[in-house]
Amino acid sequence: MPRQLTVLALSLSLAFGAAHAAALETVHADEAQAAKPSLREHYTKYEYRIPMRDGVRLFTTVYVPKDSSKSYPFLIQRTPYSAGTQHGGELHYGVDFMPQSIGPSKEFQEAGYIFVYQDVRGRYMSEGKWQEMTPHAKAQLTAGEGNESRDMHDTMEWLLKHVPNHNGKAGIYGISYPGFYTSASIIDSHPAIKAASPQAPVTDLFMGDDSYHGGAFMLAANFDFYSAFTEEKNPTPLPKTWNRFDYDKADGYDFFLEKLTLSNILGTLTDKQRALIQPTIENDSYNGFWKERNIAPHLKNIKAAVLTVGGWFDAEDPQGPLTTYHAIERQNAGIFNGLVMGPWVHGGWARGEGKSLGHVQFDSKTSEYFRSKIQFPFFEQHLKGVKPAQPISEVTVFETGSNVWRQYTAWPPAPAKARTLFLAPDGKLSWQQPSGGAAFDEYIADPRRPVPYIAYPATGVPQEYAVSDQRFASTRPDVLVYQSDVLEEDLTVAGPVTPKLFVSTTGTDADWVVKLIDVYPHEYPEAPEQRGRDVAPPKLTMAGYQQLVRGNPLRGKFRNSFEKPEPFVPGKVEAISYHLGDVNHTFRRGHRIMVQIQSSWFPLVDLNPQTFVSIPKAKPEDFKKATQRVYHAPGQASGLQLMVLPPQ
């Protein structure tokens, strides 16, 4: 589920699903566009209210090819963001409102499918009660609540009986929250569902997706999303538009720092806006609230071929695709279970060319490649029996840095071996454990002067932050910086990155933010000019650029358990280790590897008061400075464990 509205048109496109992305912008038709056949010429739109087994009716829009001389498979998207159509800048229901396009990409519309869009239970024009991340195995359902697998089964049965000219096969897909509904809908798969593609699927909100990373609350994105994503009494076609929160400031950093506490931040929202974000904030450990919403343990008895898709630079759901892929692989023998990871932001594969992000170039049209060479052949093969020109590999991943596509039989790739890159005295990185020198480095972390996550003002979360230049942070006294020598040959990291640190604090709680960075040579071509609201100022030299490859926090109180937080003993040295995230990146010859360590990343992540308190209930006086130490002595050698591939 997209947790930001940084650029309204982009966020709305994601929110309503990739199939409707083109329809969400005002179209200024030119002669070339007018010359193309309209969607209305080739498809007839129908609207249905499909009954579920408990009597709840789900609103469903169906687009059927006018050519009835052959049969077609169903291609289904289930969404909480409306099955309606954008027209004149507003959402509309009714068979007379036609979108500009349907399906995941133009190839599908041209090839001919029966496209189905459904408002999930309790959203927009569907009846029933909506549940965020519908629990699959909730012990007792209240009136109107349902189960996504059963709702999909009932929907499929109805479609097979009431929509003509189908071939008896169905596929399902969706990005973000619709990605979750894709995953949840194929548990105990209906036999007609032959192919499914959960894309950026929300999977476990607490464990690395939208809500929490390493036990730290993802403040900016969640606040931006929930201030616009609210519940309505259904069935209703409202809201017709999403309204952005008025920060009354150019920079979210200033807005949130002025409020300081989570209770003060929540106080800026209306009761309606707080209804969904408040439980997210109050449940600040991995308790039953989150566990029953984790879909991964339930991804069983899947009979469809699955192609899970994600982006290396997804700000909302970076972990969901990998968790989904591994859960399906572990729990469903005998099916095709594929994974695609590209150099994309949230849903970036569904639109545009995918040639760059911010100032970082990828050298090819990666999004177009995915849509035409992987996604379309996948559904054509499993729904129409069309053999692809090239077999689709189980794992297809884009290797950033070298900017090439790789195919593997599993993820992480079997040849990748764990190596530890150690922090060393004098700001060095080395493959050898330090044998002497200073025992630790230290800095003073002040929660009233936190380290920002970008170097320019913005509200929401600019998506280019995932590859943004970190030079602004490396000069701060509250950021530790470690750097390798110049690389004499390419080094490829493919798999999870795991910080293994020895630390201490003078406080009773602390965040540890670790960033893996690619440092470009000081002789390097200038970046092409990139214009847009989601990038830093357009002119920038790439010489010495410090590209973020992966970063994530660990909230120290969860160092031993995400269920049972524990305070630090001031001054006591402790070992911490956590999942920073997966990467597939080549540090090129002539570049350097850098690691930065800090104790805030604001306002991407909420502030840790650095005292052991319930952070949702923290008061201003709880926020205190602390001295943080990171050790690199013999027996206390901190480092990053990387999965390194042998040289090509």
Side-chain angles (χ1 to χ4, degrees), residues 308-324:
T308 303
V309 182
W312 292 126
F313 307 121
D314 188 337
E316 286 96 336
D317 297 295
Q319 185 58 39
L322 296 162
T323 300
T324 295

PDB file of all heavy atoms in Angstrom, residues 308-324:
ATOM      1  N   THR A 308       6.507 -13.014  -8.518  1.00  0.00           N
ATOM      2  CA  THR A 308       6.538 -11.911  -7.557  1.00  0.00           C
ATOM      3  C   THR A 308       7.518 -10.850  -8.050  1.00  0.00           C
ATOM      4  O   THR A 308       8.607 -11.175  -8.524  1.00  0.00           O
ATOM      5  CB  THR A 308       6.942 -12.416  -6.165  1.00  0.00           C
ATOM      6  OG1 THR A 308       6.022 -13.442  -5.753  1.00  0.00           O
ATOM      7  CG2 THR A 308       6.917 -11.300  -5.147  1.00  0.00           C
ATOM      8  N   VAL A 309       7.114  -9.592  -7.921  1.00  0.00           N
ATOM      9  CA  VAL A 309       7.894  -8.487  -8.494  1.00  0.00           C
ATOM     10  C   VAL A 309       8.166  -7.439  -7.422  1.00  0.00           C
ATOM     11  O   VAL A 309       7.294  -7.137  -6.599  1.00  0.00           O
ATOM     12  CB  VAL A 309       7.134  -7.835  -9.672  1.00  0.00           C
ATOM     13  CG1 VAL A 309       7.966  -6.711 -10.298  1.00  0.00           C
ATOM     14  CG2 VAL A 309       6.766  -8.884 -10.719  1.00  0.00           C
ATOM     15  N   GLY A 310       9.365  -6.882  -7.433  1.00  0.00           N
ATOM     16  CA  GLY A 310       9.702  -5.823  -6.492  1.00  0.00           C
ATOM     17  C   GLY A 310      10.766  -4.904  -7.037  1.00  0.00           C
ATOM     18  O   GLY A 310      11.346  -5.149  -8.108  1.00  0.00           O
ATOM     19  N   GLY A 311      11.030  -3.826  -6.306  1.00  0.00           N
ATOM     20  CA  GLY A 311      12.031  -2.846  -6.701  1.00  0.00           C
ATOM     21  C   GLY A 311      13.113  -2.703  -5.652  1.00  0.00           C
ATOM     22  O   GLY A 311      12.823  -2.642  -4.454  1.00  0.00           O
ATOM     23  N   TRP A 312      14.358  -2.656  -6.102  1.00  0.00           N
ATOM     24  CA  TRP A 312      15.468  -2.482  -5.161  1.00  0.00           C
ATOM     25  C   TRP A 312      15.371  -1.154  -4.411  1.00  0.00           C
ATOM     26  O   TRP A 312      15.902  -1.016  -3.313  1.00  0.00           O
ATOM     27  CB  TRP A 312      16.803  -2.545  -5.891  1.00  0.00           C
ATOM     28  CG  TRP A 312      17.169  -3.880  -6.459  1.00  0.00           C
ATOM     29  CD1 TRP A 312      17.514  -4.171  -7.751  1.00  0.00           C
ATOM     30  CD2 TRP A 312      17.263  -5.130  -5.747  1.00  0.00           C
ATOM     31  NE1 TRP A 312      17.799  -5.521  -7.896  1.00  0.00           N
ATOM     32  CE2 TRP A 312      17.661  -6.129  -6.677  1.00  0.00           C
ATOM     33  CE3 TRP A 312      17.041  -5.505  -4.422  1.00  0.00           C
ATOM     34  CZ2 TRP A 312      17.833  -7.466  -6.326  1.00  0.00           C
ATOM     35  CZ3 TRP A 312      17.221  -6.837  -4.067  1.00  0.00           C
ATOM     36  CH2 TRP A 312      17.612  -7.798  -5.005  1.00  0.00           C
ATOM     37  N   PHE A 313      14.689  -0.170  -5.000  1.00  0.00           N
ATOM     38  CA  PHE A 313      14.629   1.159  -4.398  1.00  0.00           C
ATOM     39  C   PHE A 313      13.200   1.537  -4.013  1.00  0.00           C
ATOM     40  O   PHE A 313      12.826   2.708  -4.034  1.00  0.00           O
ATOM     41  CB  PHE A 313      15.235   2.184  -5.359  1.00  0.00           C
ATOM     42  CG  PHE A 313      16.622   1.801  -5.828  1.00  0.00           C
ATOM     43  CD1 PHE A 313      16.903   1.632  -7.171  1.00  0.00           C
ATOM     44  CD2 PHE A 313      17.630   1.579  -4.907  1.00  0.00           C
ATOM     45  CE1 PHE A 313      18.165   1.262  -7.595  1.00  0.00           C
ATOM     46  CE2 PHE A 313      18.907   1.207  -5.316  1.00  0.00           C
ATOM     47  CZ  PHE A 313      19.177   1.047  -6.674  1.00  0.00           C
ATOM     48  N   ASP A 314      12.428   0.544  -3.652  1.00  0.00           N
ATOM     49  CA  ASP A 314      11.046   0.743  -3.219  1.00  0.00           C
ATOM     50  C   ASP A 314      11.043   1.325  -1.809  1.00  0.00           C
ATOM     51  O   ASP A 314      11.549   0.703  -0.875  1.00  0.00           O
ATOM     52  CB  ASP A 314      10.321  -0.603  -3.253  1.00  0.00           C
ATOM     53  CG  ASP A 314       8.828  -0.492  -3.006  1.00  0.00           C
ATOM     54  OD1 ASP A 314       8.392   0.503  -2.398  1.00  0.00           O
ATOM     55  OD2 ASP A 314       8.092  -1.402  -3.423  1.00  0.00           O
ATOM     56  N   ALA A 315      10.471   2.519  -1.662  1.00  0.00           N
ATOM     57  CA  ALA A 315      10.444   3.162  -0.353  1.00  0.00           C
ATOM     58  C   ALA A 315       9.358   2.600   0.553  1.00  0.00           C
ATOM     59  O   ALA A 315       9.415   2.764   1.769  1.00  0.00           O
ATOM     60  CB  ALA A 315      10.236   4.675  -0.518  1.00  0.00           C
ATOM     61  N   GLU A 316       8.335   1.938  -0.027  1.00  0.00           N
ATOM     62  CA  GLU A 316       7.214   1.471   0.779  1.00  0.00           C
ATOM     63  C   GLU A 316       7.321  -0.011   1.150  1.00  0.00           C
ATOM     64  O   GLU A 316       7.197  -0.378   2.305  1.00  0.00           O
ATOM     65  CB  GLU A 316       5.896   1.703   0.030  1.00  0.00           C
ATOM     66  CG  GLU A 316       5.477   3.153   0.003  1.00  0.00           C
ATOM     67  CD  GLU A 316       5.901   3.859  -1.274  1.00  0.00           C
ATOM     68  OE1 GLU A 316       6.871   3.427  -1.929  1.00  0.00           O
ATOM     69  OE2 GLU A 316       5.264   4.852  -1.627  1.00  0.00           O
ATOM     70  N   ASP A 317       7.496  -0.864   0.157  1.00  0.00           N
ATOM     71  CA  ASP A 317       7.473  -2.314   0.395  1.00  0.00           C
ATOM     72  C   ASP A 317       8.717  -2.993  -0.176  1.00  0.00           C
ATOM     73  O   ASP A 317       8.640  -3.812  -1.096  1.00  0.00           O
ATOM     74  CB  ASP A 317       6.208  -2.925  -0.224  1.00  0.00           C
ATOM     75  CG  ASP A 317       4.953  -2.378   0.425  1.00  0.00           C
ATOM     76  OD1 ASP A 317       4.757  -2.627   1.622  1.00  0.00           O
ATOM     77  OD2 ASP A 317       4.181  -1.684  -0.254  1.00  0.00           O
ATOM     78  N   PRO A 318       9.886  -2.680   0.370  1.00  0.00           N
ATOM     79  CA  PRO A 318      11.107  -3.303  -0.148  1.00  0.00           C
ATOM     80  C   PRO A 318      11.260  -4.768   0.252  1.00  0.00           C
ATOM     81  O   PRO A 318      11.860  -5.554  -0.470  1.00  0.00           O
ATOM     82  CB  PRO A 318      12.223  -2.454   0.467  1.00  0.00           C
ATOM     83  CG  PRO A 318      11.624  -1.938   1.746  1.00  0.00           C
ATOM     84  CD  PRO A 318      10.166  -1.721   1.446  1.00  0.00           C
ATOM     85  N   GLN A 319      10.689  -5.144   1.408  1.00  0.00           N
ATOM     86  CA  GLN A 319      10.880  -6.499   1.916  1.00  0.00           C
ATOM     87  C   GLN A 319       9.778  -7.448   1.472  1.00  0.00           C
ATOM     88  O   GLN A 319      10.006  -8.657   1.346  1.00  0.00           O
ATOM     89  CB  GLN A 319      10.948  -6.473   3.447  1.00  0.00           C
ATOM     90  CG  GLN A 319      11.274  -7.808   4.092  1.00  0.00           C
ATOM     91  CD  GLN A 319      12.585  -8.408   3.620  1.00  0.00           C
ATOM     92  OE1 GLN A 319      13.568  -7.689   3.417  1.00  0.00           O
ATOM     93  NE2 GLN A 319      12.619  -9.720   3.446  1.00  0.00           N
ATOM     94  N   GLY A 320       8.580  -6.928   1.234  1.00  0.00           N
ATOM     95  CA  GLY A 320       7.441  -7.779   0.904  1.00  0.00           C
ATOM     96  C   GLY A 320       7.676  -8.761  -0.222  1.00  0.00           C
ATOM     97  O   GLY A 320       7.348  -9.953  -0.093  1.00  0.00           O
ATOM     98  N   PRO A 321       8.232  -8.331  -1.366  1.00  0.00           N
ATOM     99  CA  PRO A 321       8.452  -9.288  -2.458  1.00  0.00           C
ATOM    100  C   PRO A 321       9.367 -10.438  -2.070  1.00  0.00           C
ATOM    101  O   PRO A 321       9.109 -11.592  -2.437  1.00  0.00           O
ATOM    102  CB  PRO A 321       9.087  -8.425  -3.557  1.00  0.00           C
ATOM    103  CG  PRO A 321       8.643  -7.042  -3.255  1.00  0.00           C
ATOM    104  CD  PRO A 321       8.565  -6.951  -1.760  1.00  0.00           C
ATOM    105  N   LEU A 322      10.428 -10.153  -1.332  1.00  0.00           N
ATOM    106  CA  LEU A 322      11.374 -11.202  -0.953  1.00  0.00           C
ATOM    107  C   LEU A 322      10.755 -12.153   0.069  1.00  0.00           C
ATOM    108  O   LEU A 322      10.911 -13.375  -0.037  1.00  0.00           O
ATOM    109  CB  LEU A 322      12.648 -10.570  -0.402  1.00  0.00           C
ATOM    110  CG  LEU A 322      13.405  -9.726  -1.429  1.00  0.00           C
ATOM    111  CD1 LEU A 322      14.374  -8.781  -0.746  1.00  0.00           C
ATOM    112  CD2 LEU A 322      14.142 -10.609  -2.422  1.00  0.00           C
ATOM    113  N   THR A 323      10.037 -11.605   1.048  1.00  0.00           N
ATOM    114  CA  THR A 323       9.353 -12.456   2.027  1.00  0.00           C
ATOM    115  C   THR A 323       8.313 -13.331   1.339  1.00  0.00           C
ATOM    116  O   THR A 323       8.183 -14.530   1.645  1.00  0.00           O
ATOM    117  CB  THR A 323       8.692 -11.592   3.103  1.00  0.00           C
ATOM    118  OG1 THR A 323       9.697 -10.822   3.772  1.00  0.00           O
ATOM    119  CG2 THR A 323       7.954 -12.445   4.125  1.00  0.00           C
ATOM    120  N   THR A 324       7.553 -12.760   0.408  1.00  0.00           N
ATOM    121  CA  THR A 324       6.533 -13.515  -0.318  1.00  0.00           C
ATOM    122  C   THR A 324       7.155 -14.621  -1.143  1.00  0.00           C
ATOM    123  O   THR A 324       6.694 -15.773  -1.126  1.00  0.00           O
ATOM    124  CB  THR A 324       5.727 -12.562  -1.216  1.00  0.00           C
ATOM    125  OG1 THR A 324       5.014 -11.642  -0.388  1.00  0.00           O
ATOM    126  CG2 THR A 324       4.739 -13.320  -2.083  1.00  0.00           C
TER     127      THR A 324
END
